[in-house]
């Protein structure tokens, strides 16, 4: 699964880890996160994330 990086603060969403504090269980692809989810570090919206190039 692809990871996504916040373009504001650099937080990386790893689908294998999820965002348990934000209610996103491990194994959740970025595409399946609700649109109202925000970056747990800086509060940026989901559209502020970009795929991480491997």
């Amino acid at each position: 699964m692809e990871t996504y990086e916040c373009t504001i603060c650099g937080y990386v969403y790893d689908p294998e880890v999820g965002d348990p504090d934000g209610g996103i269980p491990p194994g959740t692809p970025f595409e399946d996160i609700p649109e109202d989810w925000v970056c747990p570090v800086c509060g940026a919206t989901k559209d502020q994330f970009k795929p991480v190039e491997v």
Side-chain angles (χ1 to χ4, degrees), residues 6 11 13 16 26 29-31 35 37-40 42-45 47:
C6 177
Y11 167 81
Y13 174 78
E16 292 182 14
F30 188 78
E31 297 79 16
E35 290 303 316
W37 177 81
V38 295
C39 176
C42 72
T45 55
D47 64 346

Side-chain angles (χ1 to χ4, degrees), residues 5-31:
E5 181 179 14
C6 177
T7 59
I8 306 300
C9 73
Y11 167 81
V12 174
Y13 174 78
D14 181 347
E16 292 182 14
V17 176
D19 177 21
D21 293 339
I24 309 299
T28 304
F30 188 78
E31 297 79 16

